[in-house]
Amino acid sequence: MKEHLSALLDYAYERGMIGKLDESYAVNKILALIGGDDFEWTEHREFANIDEILAGLLDFAAQNGKLEDNTITYRDILAAEIMDNFTPRPGELVEKFFKKYENSPVEATDYFYALSQDNNYIMTERIKKNIIWKTMTKYGEIDITINLSKPEKDPKEIAKAKTMKQSGYPKCLLCKENVGIRGNASHPARTNHRIIPLTLAGEEWFFQYSPYVYYNEHCIGLSGEHTPMKIDRKTFQRLLDFVTIFPHYFIGSNSDLPIVGGSILTHNHFQGGNYEFTMAKQPIKKEFTFAGFEDVRAGIVDWALSTIRLISEDKEKLCDLGEKILNVWREYSDEENDIIAYTDQLHNTVTSIARKRDGKYELDLILRNNRTSSEHPDGIFHAHSEYHHIKKEGIGLIEAMGLAVLPPRLLEQFPNMDDAKKKEIGEIFAKILENCGVFKDTEKGMNGFVRFMETVNGK
């Protein structure tokens, strides 16, 4: 134990997470957590990473009866409690973040991202297990990830979670009240979790990093209120405000309907980061000028999903035109292209993405429709059944931009995951994206897309 705790102190010192006056305090707090009663710094071997250091402390805690169960969930809970001793209190972190922000937004986010990795909130070692590659397609080079980073729950934990009384606090995993929560069999550890307050469109929002990042500086913007996803003009305002605050990041919102939305529709949130997806690199292939918005560059993007890009220095103009397009699309039907706005419910919505590039704002609107049919019960504009062996889950924001997040079962299906198989999987994912486009890349589809754009212009 002493060797591992000594290594943990050295790890924290090397990363500026602790000062000399903090050492005894941190040591005593950790000893209480793991059941130790004495400590003296000890020479130690070179450990491979923070997970290996923590593993020794968690094993010691298990021997001393300090783990409710020696399972991945309860080990994660205790590991987060240990690392919380090297994490600034929320108010202290926020103050330091905005002091760095005065120098530059990049310095502030670099600090927060490094801290979120160093304190093991971002599960860096687990993320390394993911299998990642790129595949060239007609739409450019798309990213493919087989997600191996999230550990499977122990059957005992699953059974225990079912019997636990649900407190309703926090209301979901995205609520601001998750900061510092210990966690249990049905709620992940968040003791070392921190968030940064922001004001977006005059509202209280927060900014954090994802514990399982899929790309560089994968962040989450979350509403201070537990309100459901809703796409409207304010969505565009919030997104553009975010990239005003962090011009080196993109930010996007999943749609607000099932099948074409994200996995959490109950809490309004965004995802962003310091990464350029393939969709962002794709050019406008057909330009349009909208009456009253002649100073906004607009057009159809050369992309698998039906995407409209708006470009301007004026955020308000982008919000106004974005709202106009959204309102027309909500009511728009084109039966020739299988698009029906209403049956017994609303079907049309958008996935929206904002960024700053070359001093101008960009707002991308991906047209989505979640209607189903007897032929396609999982969604007409969804991965069709012939591709379900690769992916059956919905195509949300990240994948709509060109990054596939595929299930671990693929490794069992394809034990020989060589370059040829990876290329095949990448090409199938490109076809899945094409399935999701409401206006196909055909003459009929493009004619339909043009008719829609002309309808917007005529309103």
Side-chain angles (χ1 to χ4, degrees), residues 234-456:
K234 269 213 159 178
T235 304
F236 309 146
Q237 288 179 301
R238 297 180 194 116
L239 296 176
L240 292 166
D241 281 355
F242 186 94
V243 296
T244 300
I245 298 168
F246 303 116
H248 57 301
Y249 277 10
F250 83 90
I251 192 77
S253 173
N254 265 302
S255 69
D256 50 0
L257 296 178
I259 298 177
V260 295
S263 57
I264 300 178
L265 293 174
T266 55
H267 194 118
N268 211 357
H269 69 286
F270 306 143
Q271 294 188 75
N274 191 2
Y275 190 74
E276 188 175 41
F277 286 87
T278 303
M279 190 196 76
K281 300 174 186 176
Q282 291 299 100
I284 290 174
K285 65 179 178 180
K286 186 169 181 59
E287 303 248 1
F288 283 84
T289 301
F290 290 99
F293 299 93
E294 288 80 5
D295 55 345
V296 176
R297 186 182 174 209
I300 296 171
V301 178
D302 186 13
W303 184 235
L305 283 84
S306 307
T307 305
I308 301 167
R309 179 164 297 156
L310 309 177
I311 305 172
S312 176
E313 295 178 355
D314 188 334
K315 289 194 294 183
E316 289 303 304
K317 282 283 183 72
L318 290 187
C319 289
D320 290 343
L321 182 51
E323 181 183 30
K324 183 176 183 178
I325 292 169
L326 172 64
N327 290 342
V328 174
W329 176 243
R330 290 281 197 198
E331 307 288 332
Y332 192 80
S333 292
D334 178 350
E335 294 192 24
E336 186 182 352
N337 284 290
D338 286 327
I339 299 166
I340 297 175
Y342 290 95
T343 53
D344 57 339
Q345 59 186 291
L346 171 71
H347 292 297
N348 287 352
T349 185
V350 301
T351 299
S352 45
I353 303 103
R355 68 185 73 84
K356 282 197 83 172
R357 184 154 45 189
D358 300 327
K360 294 182 178 180
Y361 292 98
E362 295 185 1
L363 182 65
D364 286 353
L365 303 178
I366 305 175
L367 306 180
R368 312 298 300 269
N369 177 288
N370 77 341
R371 195 166 67 88
T372 61
S373 67
S374 57
E375 184 184 0
H376 301 295
D378 296 307
I380 296 170
F381 304 105
H382 176 73
H384 290 172
S385 57
E386 64 265 34
Y387 304 133
H388 284 182
H389 65 294
I390 299 298
K391 186 172 179 69
K392 185 177 181 179
E393 300 80 7
I395 299 298
L397 169 71
I398 292 172
E399 290 173 313
M401 293 187 291
L403 190 158
V405 181
L406 303 179
R409 62 177 166 80
L410 292 191
L411 292 186
E412 297 176 10
Q413 291 173 218
F414 310 115
N416 182 24
M417 189 62 72
D418 57 15
D419 288 345
K421 180 56 66 176
K422 288 179 178 179
K423 185 175 186 293
E424 178 190 339
I425 290 171
E427 289 171 348
I428 290 174
F429 179 67
K431 291 176 182 175
I432 290 173
L433 292 181
E434 289 177 340
N435 285 170
C436 298
V438 294
F439 295 111
K440 306 305 182 193
D441 190 18
T442 62
E443 184 178 354
K444 183 177 79 169
M446 279 306 298
N447 288 341
F449 206 160
V450 169
R451 281 197 305 272
F452 169 71
M453 298 290 270
E454 289 172 345
T455 301
V456 174

Side-chain angles (χ1 to χ4, degrees), residues 29-30 32-35 54 57-62 65-68 71-85 182 189 191:
K29 296 281 280 186
I30 293 168
L33 289 169
I34 64 176
L54 288 171
L57 298 175
L58 298 174
D59 289 343
F60 182 83
K66 288 291 188 175
L67 285 176
E68 191 168 334
T71 60
I72 188 69
T73 295
Y74 287 99
R75 288 173 74 90
D76 281 354
I77 287 171
L78 184 53
E81 290 180 298
I82 290 170
M83 295 309 295
D84 187 44
N85 290 287
R182 182 174 184 270
T191 322

Side-chain angles (χ1 to χ4, degrees), residues 140-159:
E141 201 171 45
I142 59 175
D143 298 291
I144 311 291
T145 296
I146 297 180
N147 181 19
L148 304 175
S149 56
K150 292 186 181 180
E152 293 187 21
K153 281 187 175 288
D154 186 288
K156 291 188 297 181
E157 294 174 342
I158 295 170

Side-chain angles (χ1 to χ4, degrees), residues 206-217:
F206 294 88
F207 153 63
Q208 66 174 71
Y209 289 105
S210 170
Y212 292 100
V213 297
Y214 289 129
Y215 50 85
N216 187 46
E217 296 176 55

